[in-house]
Amino acid sequence: MNKFNYLIKILVSLIIVLNGLVVKSQSVYKNADDRLFLEYFLLESEHDEGSYIQGDLTEYGFQKYSYGVIPKHRSDENRMITIRSNVVIDSSLYTENLCLVVFPSDYPCNIYLNGKLIGKRGNYKKGYTTRIHYSESIYLPQSIIQYNKINELAFQLYPKQGEINPFNKSFIANDEDAARYVFLRNFFGYKLIMALSFCGFVFFVFYFVTYLSRKEYSDKKYLWFAFMNLFIIISLINNIISHDFANTFLIELISRVGFQLAMVVGLLFLVDYTQIFKERGLLAKRVIVLAYGIAIVMLLFQKNTSDLIKINNTYPIIVLLLGNISFIIISALYYKKEKDLKSFVLFSIYILNLLAGFSDSYYFAVLMIKPYVLLTPYTVFFINLVIFFILAVDNTRIYHLATQKTEELKSLNENLGLLVEERTQRIINYTKDLENTNKTKDKFFSIIAHDLKNPFNSMIGYSDILKTEYKDLSDEEIKADINILYTTSKNGHILLDNLLQWAQSQTNQINYDPKKIHLYTIVQECIEGVETISKFKNIEIINNVPKNLEITADENLLKTILRNLLSNAVKYTSRKGLVIAKAEIQNEMVEISVKDTGVGISEKEKKELFLIEKMHSRLGTNNERGSGLGLILSKEFVEKHGGTISVVSEEGFGSEFKFTIPLK
């Protein structure tokens, strides 16, 4: 019976041992190409290095670890935690170099394999930070590994007061796979974050210095953007500093305050850059500073890491979330306003940043583990990079605009000489016009003083003869003197009429009133007006204008033109001569001409015939006097109609004056 009881006890003990082996150990590790993720058991152990790293898990009271928070029931002076895992390594892996891959950790620790120390992370004996942000590959010496037996792998953690973050998983793999994994994890982890932080520091220095030194960068949005980069670096300080550098609480405090400051300047930048709030921009800025100022004060008044994390997960984390949502709302309104590529890119990157925040929060708050890649630092840097290029593009446009204005100014300077020359020429032309005006005035007074005076002298002389000597004169002599008086007064009247019309023309007092008229009738009236003079010289005037021809012209101006041309033709034609007036249509114009059989005009006189400064007159064939003003006046009146006047003449063979007037 005793033997039977003894056998029962042995079987029960064996079952307990076997059951412990199944529960407290991993599966056998046979394939080095695979990764064996370890299961852990946790115990709040004594503060004594090397304790509880070997021995029965069940006997010591280890509990299966679910990767939740680290317990904190022990005193602050005795907070050591032992985490154990049992693994059977198959003897087929004897020739393989195996490594243990440990992830970023929140605690310094000593790592043991089968009671032998194989690695240390951090320094728990001195001031340290809990943040160890790099992964590490730790070689498992073949001399320590127990093949085909249970290998006891232990981590002794040294958390401080308030430190309860979960312990990350680890796995065993061959050395090549372990090295590759560690490299990639570290590259996309803290190393890339450090590189991006350096770039952000460059952005900060560049825009801060240019804001202080360049007037065109005195806009506050450049200052906000500079500090965006600085405060982002500060907020990532607990990712940049790995271990043995500073106090955990201080690093955590700086980091979490940095997040709040980065959000403040980020929102201030967006308000100034987008100008969405316009006149309410100052109010929006005050609300932003007040909201995040409260969060910063709440963080600053904490005394340890645990309290800091607790308070951070209340109001401060809520305003950070609201800030990210505000980024999206403001950038969306800006895109609605601008509808261009840069506003769309800005809106899109803020959306990505919010999604990255949700992803990281899910790993930390729900899964309670560190993500393989922390996305938020990268999206935040990408925001700064996008804004950097947007500001660069904006400034490039401003630069091109300034360059364009400079080129325009240069062009104006180059053309300044031409402008001065042009204005000088205008002054010269104006001076010439004044000289011509003076010449015209002088000619005007010359005509009044001389040419208009002569007819009156003749009339006074012949009138005096008739008054005092008419009894001694024969009827023929009296008749001749009366004819001379008539001719002289007629010519004087024509001269006076021309003079008055010319004076009106020079002062723009001539009314131009074109109407439809019968040209033949107008020409005939003008012929009858000079008929007395023509009959005295026995000159025949023929009207060859078509009787049904109608034109549009100012009747008074046209009569002045025709009367002057007919008077000149009669004046310079000898007795028994011939004067012919005719008209014909040519290309929407009517050409009117007065042709005579008179003395003709020399080439020199033809060149000066219509020039006011060269105006002169010669005696007619019967010693008639004239001023030369009639042709000047005729030219002005023809041009007022939109036509031209010309002369065809040869000295000794008569002259033909032609002028055109539009039919309509």
Side-chain angles (χ1 to χ4, degrees):
M1 186 67 179
N2 290 334
K3 291 183 178 179
F4 178 77
N5 290 335
Y6 180 73
L7 288 174
I8 292 297
K9 289 181 180 180
I10 293 175
L11 287 174
V12 170
S13 300
L14 183 60
I15 290 172
I16 293 173
V17 171
L18 291 175
N19 183 64
L21 180 63
V22 172
V23 175
K24 303 294 186 179
S25 68
Q26 293 282 4
S27 302
V28 177
Y29 186 38
K30 294 182 177 181
N31 189 355
D33 293 331
D34 294 333
R35 295 173 183 173
L36 178 64
F37 284 87
L38 303 176
E39 289 186 357
Y40 289 104
F41 297 85
L42 180 145
L43 176 69
E44 291 188 83
S45 53
E46 297 294 335
H47 194 71
D48 184 13
E49 275 189 44
S51 300
Y52 303 99
I53 60 175
Q54 285 183 292
D56 186 77
L57 294 172
T58 303
E59 182 180 338
Y60 287 149
F62 279 87
Q63 301 297 318
K64 189 171 183 180
Y65 180 49
S66 60
Y67 298 99
V69 296
I70 297 295
K72 57 173 184 178
H73 303 104
R74 308 291 294 246
S75 65
D76 293 339
E77 292 76 23
N78 188 12
R79 289 272 289 126
M80 189 174 74
I81 302 292
T82 300
I83 291 182
R84 289 265 305 275
S85 179
N86 293 341
V87 57
V88 176
I89 300 177
D90 194 88
S91 59
S92 61
L93 302 179
Y94 181 78
T95 57
E96 296 283 349
N97 291 322
L98 302 180
C99 294
L100 173 67
V101 175
V102 289
F103 294 174
S105 174
D106 284 327
Y107 311 106
C109 62
N110 293 338
I111 305 171
Y112 298 87
L113 177 61
N114 296 325
K116 305 293 184 181
L117 184 66
I118 61 172
K120 283 179 175 283
R121 306 197 79 197
N123 187 345
Y124 73 93
K125 293 182 179 181
K126 297 181 180 179
Y128 63 89
T129 173
T130 59
R131 301 297 186 188
I132 301 175
H133 288 287
Y134 59 88
S135 296
E136 187 176 357
S137 175
I138 299 174
Y139 176 64
L140 301 179
Q142 291 178 337
S143 59
I144 300 177
I145 297 175
Q146 299 177 8
Y147 294 98
N148 294 329
K149 295 181 180 180
I150 295 176
N151 292 273
E152 298 171 314
L153 190 64
F155 292 79
Q156 283 193 327
L157 313 181
Y158 298 90
K160 281 195 171 182
Q161 181 185 12
E163 297 177 345
I164 58 175
N165 294 323
F167 177 74
N168 277 317
K169 289 183 178 181
S170 59
F171 65 85
I172 298 174
N174 65 58
D175 55 349
E176 292 183 2
D177 180 53
R180 181 168 56 253
Y181 179 90
V182 167
F183 171 79
L184 292 175
R185 175 96 184 211
N186 289 339
F187 178 81
F188 289 105
Y190 80 100
K191 290 184 178 179
L192 189 54
I193 290 175
M194 291 181 69
L196 298 182
S197 298
F198 176 77
C199 293
F201 183 74
V202 172
F203 291 170
F204 161 71
V205 171
F206 174 79
Y207 271 101
F208 185 68
V209 171
T210 50
Y211 172 79
L212 295 177
S213 60
R214 300 282 294 276
K215 290 183 178 180
E216 61 268 31
Y217 286 85
S218 59
D219 194 321
K220 284 287 175 53
K221 65 186 178 187
Y222 298 110
L223 183 63
W224 302 143
F225 178 65
F227 279 105
M228 276 174 62
N229 287 276
L230 177 63
F231 292 142
I232 287 299
I233 296 171
I234 291 175
S235 67
L236 296 175
I237 192 168
N238 61 351
N239 288 275
I240 297 171
I241 298 177
S242 293
H243 60 86
D244 296 340
F245 285 87
N247 177 270
T248 301
F249 169 68
L250 181 61
I251 291 298
E252 287 293 328
L253 179 63
I254 293 173
S255 174
R256 297 180 192 281
V257 170
F259 273 118
Q260 303 292 333
L261 292 173
M263 188 64 73
V264 170
V265 293
L267 288 170
L268 292 179
F269 166 81
L270 210 56
V271 168
D272 277 350
Y273 183 77
T274 61
Q275 294 294 309
I276 293 297
F277 296 100
K278 296 181 180 178
E279 64 274 3
R280 295 184 179 180
L282 182 59
L283 176 61
K285 292 179 183 178
R286 289 175 177 174
V287 171
I288 291 168
V289 172
L290 177 62
Y292 290 93
I294 294 172
I296 291 171
V297 170
M298 291 176 66
L299 294 171
L300 290 175
F301 277 88
Q302 305 310 310
K303 297 180 179 180
N304 56 57
T305 305
S306 179
D307 292 341
L308 181 65
I309 294 173
K310 283 181 181 180
I311 202 67
N312 182 74
N313 291 334
T314 58
Y315 176 80
I317 202 167
I318 291 174
V319 291
L320 287 179
L321 177 61
L322 292 176
N324 279 304
I325 295 174
S326 299
F327 281 139
I328 294 173
I329 294 173
I330 296 174
S331 59
L333 293 174
Y334 181 57
Y335 173 67
K336 182 179 179 181
K337 171 187 172 185
E338 298 294 330
K339 288 186 171 57
D340 58 5
L341 180 60
K342 69 175 183 180
S343 58
F344 175 75
V345 171
L346 199 62
F347 170 69
S348 300
I349 189 57
Y350 281 125
I351 290 286
L352 289 177
N353 182 63
L354 183 63
L355 295 177
F358 284 145
S359 174
D360 291 345
S361 299
Y362 173 75
Y363 276 95
F364 282 114
V366 179
L367 301 182
M368 303 294 288
I369 59 174
K370 283 181 167 44
Y372 180 77
V373 176
L374 195 62
L375 297 179
T376 303
Y378 306 133
T379 54
V380 168
F381 173 78
F382 195 30
I383 289 173
N384 288 351
L385 186 65
V386 167
I387 293 174
F388 179 86
F389 280 109
I390 286 175
L391 293 178
V393 170
D394 288 347
N395 286 307
T396 301
R397 289 174 180 171
I398 295 173
Y399 171 78
H400 283 305
L401 182 60
T403 303
Q404 181 181 352
K405 294 298 181 183
T406 303
E407 291 296 326
E408 290 176 1
L409 182 60
K410 181 180 178 181
S411 177
L412 288 174
N413 288 333
E414 291 175 351
N415 293 329
L416 184 60
L418 296 176
L419 292 173
V420 172
E421 184 179 346
E422 180 181 349
R423 292 187 178 182
T424 303
Q425 188 61 43
R426 289 181 184 176
I427 294 173
I428 292 172
N429 293 338
Y430 181 68
T431 304
K432 288 182 179 179
D433 290 341
L434 288 176
E435 291 176 355
N436 291 334
T437 302
N438 285 329
K439 289 178 181 178
T440 301
K441 179 195 68 175
D442 294 341
K443 192 66 180 178
F444 179 79
F445 287 115
S446 173
I447 293 170
I448 294 175
H450 185 267
D451 295 339
L452 191 58
K453 180 181 178 183
N454 287 335
F456 283 99
N457 288 337
S458 298
M459 287 188 291
I460 290 170
Y462 281 102
S463 299
D464 186 60
I465 291 173
L466 289 173
K467 177 182 177 183
T468 58
E469 301 179 9
Y470 75 95
K471 293 182 179 181
D472 300 328
L473 298 175
S474 63
D475 291 340
E476 292 295 329
E477 289 176 328
I478 291 173
K479 186 178 180 180
D481 288 345
I482 290 173
N483 283 332
I484 292 172
L485 278 172
Y486 177 78
T487 303
T488 303
S489 61
K490 188 73 174 177
N491 289 335
H493 178 267
I494 292 173
L495 176 60
L496 181 60
D497 186 51
N498 283 341
L499 189 62
L500 291 175
Q501 289 193 65
W502 178 73
Q504 288 178 321
S505 175
Q506 298 306 302
T507 55
N508 294 319
Q509 294 181 9
I510 292 292
N511 292 324
Y512 176 63
D513 185 21
K515 295 179 181 178
K516 187 175 287 188
I517 57 176
H518 288 84
L519 183 58
Y520 178 87
T521 302
I522 299 298
V523 172
Q524 190 61 38
E525 289 179 8
C526 292
I527 289 174
E528 292 172 359
V530 297
E531 205 170 48
T532 303
I533 303 173
S534 64
K535 285 183 178 180
F536 180 76
K537 297 177 71 173
N538 199 18
I539 296 173
E540 182 181 4
I541 304 177
I542 300 174
N543 186 354
N544 278 345
V545 175
K547 291 185 178 182
N548 61 347
L549 180 58
E550 289 187 343
I551 64 171
T552 301
D554 186 293
E555 183 176 338
N556 293 326
L557 300 185
L558 183 59
K559 284 182 177 180
T560 300
I561 299 167
L562 290 169
R563 186 172 59 245
N564 279 304
L565 295 181
L566 290 170
S567 296
N568 284 345
V570 171
K571 184 188 297 184
Y572 297 110
T573 299
S574 301
R575 291 180 178 276
K576 299 182 180 181
L578 179 65
V579 175
I580 302 173
K582 65 178 181 178
E584 59 182 7
I585 298 174
Q586 295 181 352
N587 299 326
E588 301 297 324
M589 305 285 284
V590 59
E591 184 182 75
I592 305 169
S593 66
V594 176
K595 187 175 182 180
D596 62 60
T597 57
V599 297
I601 307 171
S602 67
E603 289 298 323
K604 180 181 179 183
E605 288 175 325
K606 281 194 290 184
K607 293 179 181 179
E608 300 174 351
L609 205 56
F610 299 103
L611 300 176
I612 183 67
E613 65 272 15
K614 301 291 184 179
M615 187 178 69
H616 66 279
S617 178
R618 58 179 176 171
L619 296 175
T621 56
N622 198 29
N623 293 321
E624 301 98 325
R625 291 182 177 275
S627 64
L629 184 60
L631 288 178
I632 302 297
L633 193 61
S634 296
K635 180 176 182 293
E636 289 190 14
F637 288 175
V638 168
E639 290 175 348
K640 207 169 191 68
H641 280 83
T644 59
I645 188 170
S646 61
V647 61
V648 177
S649 181
E650 186 177 348
E651 199 167 9
F653 294 95
S655 304
E656 183 178 15
F657 283 84
K658 302 177 182 180
F659 67 94
T660 59
I661 292 178
L663 282 172
K664 296 182 181 180

